[in-house]
Amino acid sequence: MDKGNNLDWLSKVDLRQYLPFEHQLIYDAIGFEAYLKMTQAVSKMTVYFTERPIELAKRDFVMNCSAGMSAKEICTLLDMSEKTVYRILSEKTVKTNQLNLLDGIEDDNTGN
């Protein structure tokens, strides 16, 4: 950090007591150093945190990376319900079947 932005003094006071409730939750989750870095990076922004990217990543994992795992193993690993896992897996099966049908149509059109 440059001299004009030196925040080392903050380690000598209890910053948490001055934080709004939502910031206290973040501070507790990521710790003092990470909170300071985050504050410096986004202090002038209104930030909304959503779980949507994690949900999409879980879906991607189920669709593309879970081969050889049982539904129960996937549920435990990703903290998802079996119903959700089976729904995603059934969508994968439908998409695979549709792609297989398209492959057959392309082969027919090319005369192969």
Side-chain angles (χ1 to χ4, degrees), residues 8-57:
D8 292 342
W9 60 270
L10 278 171
S11 64
K12 301 192 184 322
V13 297
D14 180 16
L15 173 65
R16 188 182 185 285
Q17 70 178 330
Y18 302 110
L19 300 176
F21 177 73
E22 294 83 4
H23 288 243
Q24 288 178 11
L25 295 174
I26 295 168
Y27 181 95
D28 292 345
I30 65 176
F32 177 77
E33 293 291 327
Y35 180 81
L36 288 181
K37 287 179 184 178
M38 186 196 68
T39 300
Q40 289 174 321
V42 299
S43 64
K44 303 283 190 246
M45 295 181 210
T46 300
V47 180
Y48 171 74
F49 294 98
T50 177
E51 292 184 7
R52 183 77 175 141
I54 300 297
E55 292 168 3
L56 292 171

